[in-house]
Amino acid sequence: MPGAMDHIPPWPHDLEILPHKNFVVMDLSYNKIREIHHFPEIPVFNLDISHNELRLVKKEAFVAVSIYLHMLDLSDNKLDADSLEKDCFKGGMDIQGKFDLFIIHLSLA
């Protein structure tokens, strides 16, 4: 697929997105993303990384987006139990001192 990504690039810091005011719906589906090490800190509410070649999600991969993220779609990838490192869905600390990643819907199938 021409122009498909094989990794998630850093978020451009010159974009002005104010936390809690603008939420992003991000569709990274149908690329060639193989690994997620650390998702960039952006206020993404709905994240679709389905239909890629994802084989590895590293520890605390989504910690930077954990206070925003409510829907994460990892379906139709090459993930299995060994692909998900311990605490890969662990969240960061929010304003109320919570540390868990809050996801309403997670699809791995």
Side-chain angles (χ1 to χ4, degrees):
M1 180 180 304
M5 294 185 297
D6 65 354
H7 69 283
I8 299 172
W11 188 253
H13 292 286
D14 57 342
L15 291 178
E16 291 189 31
I17 296 179
L18 302 174
H20 305 293
K21 298 200 186 260
N22 298 308
F23 291 96
V24 176
V25 173
M26 187 171 286
D27 186 348
L28 298 174
S29 62
Y30 295 97
N31 280 285
K32 295 181 181 179
I33 299 169
R34 287 177 252 154
E35 298 181 353
I36 299 175
H37 292 261
H38 186 337
F39 202 84
E41 184 178 352
I42 53 173
V44 62
F45 181 80
N46 183 331
L47 179 57
D48 185 352
I49 312 176
S50 65
H51 302 278
N52 278 281
E53 297 176 10
L54 198 56
R55 295 172 188 202
L56 178 65
V57 180
K58 300 287 276 181
K59 179 180 179 178
E60 299 180 358
F62 301 101
V63 72
V65 295
S66 63
I67 62 171
Y68 311 107
L69 194 58
H70 282 232
M71 181 173 262
L72 175 61
D73 189 348
L74 299 175
S75 63
D76 295 302
N77 277 288
K78 298 177 180 181
L79 293 170
D80 58 24
D82 294 327
S83 303
L84 304 173
E85 287 191 0
K86 182 180 178 190
D87 294 330
C88 66
F89 298 117
K90 183 176 181 178
M93 187 168 65
D94 67 8
I95 296 168
Q96 300 166 347
K98 296 179 182 176
F99 286 93
D100 295 324
L101 178 60
F102 179 69
I103 299 177
I104 294 172
H105 175 77
L106 172 63
S107 177
L108 294 172

